[in-house]
Amino acid sequence: MKVEESDSELIMKILSGDSNSFAPLLRRYQGLIFKIIMKYIPQNQIEEVSQESAIRIFKALANFNYKSSFKTWLTTIVTRSCYDYWRKHSKLQEDNFSSLQNELTESQQDWIDSITSDSSITSFNEQIKKDEAKEVLDLLFNHLGAEDRMVLTLIHLDGYSIKDAAEQLCWSESNTKVRSFRAKLRLRELLEKLVQEGKVNV
Amino acid sequence: MFSKNEKTEKLDFALREAYKENSYYEPVIQLEWADSIVKKIQENDWNYTPNIVFIDRLNIPFASAIAIFCGLLSIYAISETIDAADFLITNMLFNDQFNFMSTS
């Protein structure tokens, strides 16, 4: 029976020049890598960012100091790769949200109206499963800069603590706290704009 | 009838719940994905060079401790050499066995 090599054994082999040992290490964590990337990156860019993250992990292996678990260290690198993607691709630095309403399709607007007016739990549970829910969320996030997007996803949506989010983004805790607060205010502003200009008033 | 504030809260909650719903999907990863990454690494010659990398992997306090130890060892070795030379010269000058200046 073949005994599976531990992470540190594989890392030692890679650092000794055996790059083939990176494949079993990567296979062990590929699910986690893709899960993180899927949360932050648009569908058509997942492959590119996951490849970039994997190469980044390989190149940074020599700096892994075993102070945290390999999983934690890897999560930080992948999250940081997603953040860098948005820093490169987010065109919006300052947005007055003026175009937000015009970007909504009719079905998305109907979804917002239905969510904000209906009080039935059954209907609510059905509504959140609809494609429009994800579309509206994507639309909102497209009106936020890279920092706001990342900090909101980690803290507001994923429920990470300030400390954990700061660790993953390589920011200081106080910086993360301030950015999180500002990002939540911006999100609130966006949500209010969507609600205010809704077609149905119940 | 809901107030604007209530509606905003509801929309926020719905979007967060929708996000959770979407997070449950398991990613579909191609079987050969990890191998394709390794191939790319090898093609670009990003492999680690044996031995050299271990210097990188030494953490700074450990490397500093070794450097200080080597420094102290060198100072000790130099002082011992000076003492030995001093001892030899003194003996050569004043010991009869080595005293070339003796007239006897």
Side-chain angles (χ1 to χ4, degrees), chain A residues 11-12 14-17 19-20 22-23 26-27 30-31 33-35 38-39 50-51 54-55 58-62 64 66 111-112 115-119 124 128-129 133-134 136-137 140 153 156-158 187-188 191-192 194-196 200-202, chain B residues 1-42 44-59 61:
Chain A
I11 293 167
M12 286 300 279
I14 297 160
L15 296 180
S16 307
S19 53
N20 285 320
F22 190 52
L26 209 50
R27 266 194 288 272
Q30 62 186 15
I33 295 172
F34 274 82
K35 256 193 158 174
M38 279 168 73
K39 282 196 291 188
S50 56
Q51 184 178 287
I55 291 166
F58 179 83
K59 286 183 172 178
L61 268 181
F64 176 55
Y66 298 91
W111 181 83
I112 293 169
I115 276 290
T116 53
S117 58
D118 201 339
S119 55
F124 180 85
I128 59 165
K129 285 178 187 151
K134 197 181 176 312
V136 171
L137 194 62
L140 285 172
T153 312
H156 194 58
L157 299 179
D158 282 330
L187 179 69
R188 178 93 194 171
L191 290 169
E192 276 175 0
L194 287 181
V195 168
Q196 197 177 9
V200 180
N201 289 312
V202 181
Chain B
M1 186 174 168
F2 298 107
S3 69
K4 184 185 156 192
N5 202 28
E6 281 171 328
K7 283 183 175 186
T8 309
E9 293 291 338
K10 280 187 91 178
L11 182 57
D12 184 33
F13 180 69
L15 289 171
R16 273 189 283 145
E17 290 300 306
Y19 173 84
K20 279 184 204 161
E21 277 288 320
N22 276 302
S23 302
Y24 293 137
Y25 293 119
E26 281 297 322
V28 182
I29 306 159
Q30 288 178 324
L31 280 171
E32 66 278 13
W33 181 74
D35 296 308
S36 73
I37 299 290
V38 171
K39 203 177 161 199
K40 197 171 171 68
I41 287 165
Q42 288 165 346
N44 286 281
D45 206 17
W46 290 325
N47 297 318
Y48 283 99
T49 314
N51 305 323
I52 292 171
V53 76
F54 292 107
I55 296 165
D56 290 342
R57 296 196 66 231
L58 288 174
N59 61 41

Side-chain angles (χ1 to χ4, degrees), chain B residues 67-82:
Chain B
I68 291 165
F69 177 73
C70 290
L72 289 171
L73 199 66
S74 313
I75 292 165
Y76 174 73
I78 291 165
S79 72
E80 281 298 300
T81 312
I82 291 168

